[in-house]
Amino acid sequence: MLQAVGLRKTYGEFVALHGLDLEVRAGELFCLLGANGAGKTTTIQLFLGFVEPTAGRALIGGLDVATHALETKRLLAYIPENVMLYPQLSGLENLRYFQTLASAESLSEAALVALLERAGLSSAVVHRRVESYSKGMRQKVGIAMAMAKNARVLLLDEPTSGLDPKASNEFSALLEALKVEGVAILMATHDIFRSKEVGTHIGIMKHGQLVARLSADDVSHTDLERVYLQHMHD
Ligand SMILES: Nc1ncnc2c1ncn2[C@@H]1O[C@H](COP(=O)(O)OP(=O)(O)O)[C@@H](O)[C@H]1O
Ligand SMILES: [Mg+2]
């Protein structure tokens, strides 16, 4: 569903991403770990088409993001560290607004509330203004937007940074549900523990290169942390 082929990004002399080859299939969740500045956000922004590649290709559903901007955007949803919502509108109104933008047909209020509930927001809360929402609740609205769009690809950039363990755990459960539905997920994160828990594949990025690829099933928490720290020291 999501594929990078020799994907490269330079800023002048500086190489932010060195020819990345990566594939995330339907139902897989690839976690990108790495220190700040490693190239995680650059990778995600290349898939979003926010940044143009210097070389190589970013493909979504087999389509090149550079030449099929609209088609590829229809397939994907993006959740950054802070989901951008209108603070004066309720969770439901925000979802309705974005859903109308993203799709030709608008969903009924009952359908929108059901999506918010599936994303973990109680029906009492969905009518409250978003300015009163916690960060975890805003992330849930982001997940509801992805569901409303029936996104086949989900790009997440440090979505759980700053969430408390309970909110982070709830967020992981939502990702698990999306995986089961066959969504292909790429997530940049610093959370080694949850990478192992929710990820199917884990990549460690350093100075714009994937220096390690691991299967989440084949590695223990301790080993994953050891491998990560080893790469950070080298
Ligand atoms: N527009 C830009 N101009 C110059 N350098 C950039 C630009 N965007 C990102 N970089 C650099 O690319 C590197 C990778 O950044 P980024 O992808 O944001 O890393 P990460 O998300 O892993 O922290 C960093 O060294 C960053 O300073
Ligand atoms: Mg980043």
Side-chain angles (χ1 to χ4, degrees):
M1 269 317 283
L2 186 143
Q3 204 182 356
V5 185
L7 191 60
R8 183 177 171 87
K9 182 64 190 179
T10 58
Y11 293 104
E13 298 281 284
F14 180 77
V15 186
L17 195 64
H18 294 255
L20 173 72
D21 292 300
L22 172 75
E23 188 173 0
V24 186
R25 295 188 177 85
E28 291 182 347
L29 195 168
F30 193 105
C31 291
L32 265 184
L33 293 171
N36 292 330
K40 305 181 297 296
T41 296
T42 301
T43 302
I44 287 171
Q45 297 205 331
L46 283 159
F47 279 109
L48 285 164
F50 290 175
V51 162
E52 244 181 83
T54 310
R57 298 188 300 156
L59 306 168
I60 289 175
L63 300 171
D64 194 322
V65 169
T67 53
H68 295 77
L70 249 112
E71 295 93 324
T72 55
K73 279 198 184 69
R74 273 191 203 115
L75 292 171
L76 65 84
Y78 166 55
I79 301 188
E81 190 183 335
N82 289 297
V83 175
M84 289 299 174
L85 300 169
Y86 291 100
Q88 306 297 319
L89 301 182
S90 70
L92 176 61
E93 287 163 342
N94 269 280
L95 179 61
R96 183 189 289 130
Y97 178 73
F98 286 103
Q99 195 270 324
T100 313
L101 282 185
S103 163
E105 40 193 311
S106 43
L107 295 174
S108 69
E109 173 151 335
L112 293 171
V113 171
L115 284 169
L116 289 162
E117 284 181 341
R118 264 190 69 206
L121 291 168
S122 73
S123 54
V125 151
V126 302
H127 297 288
R128 275 189 9 216
R129 284 186 183 193
V130 158
E131 63 188 358
S132 72
Y133 282 22
S134 66
K135 180 169 175 168
M137 289 161 76
R138 291 199 305 273
Q139 299 295 64
K140 287 174 180 172
V141 178
I143 290 282
M145 286 176 182
M147 290 172 169
K149 204 178 169 184
N150 193 23
R152 303 325 294 154
V153 171
L154 188 57
L155 301 168
L156 305 152
D157 199 352
E158 299 192 26
T160 57
S161 293
L163 290 190
D164 66 49
K166 179 170 173 283
S168 194
N169 178 271
E170 287 170 3
F171 193 80
S172 292
L174 289 171
L175 295 184
E176 199 65 56
L178 292 173
K179 259 165 68 184
V180 170
E181 283 175 18
V183 179
I185 308 174
L186 176 65
M187 173 166 72
T189 180
H190 288 301
D191 194 333
I192 292 176
F193 175 78
R194 292 205 188 277
S195 296
K196 153 79 184 145
E197 287 300 300
V198 77
T200 56
H201 300 76
I202 300 163
I204 299 173
M205 197 171 249
K206 186 179 182 182
H207 303 323
Q209 280 179 297
L210 262 191
V211 292
R213 291 173 198 254
L214 305 132
S215 163
D217 286 341
D218 298 345
V219 67
S220 69
H221 287 291
T222 326
D223 286 345
L224 177 58
E225 186 172 38
R226 188 177 46 74
V227 171
Y228 179 85
L229 292 174
Q230 232 162 34
H231 281 290
M232 295 306 116
H233 282 303
D234 291 344

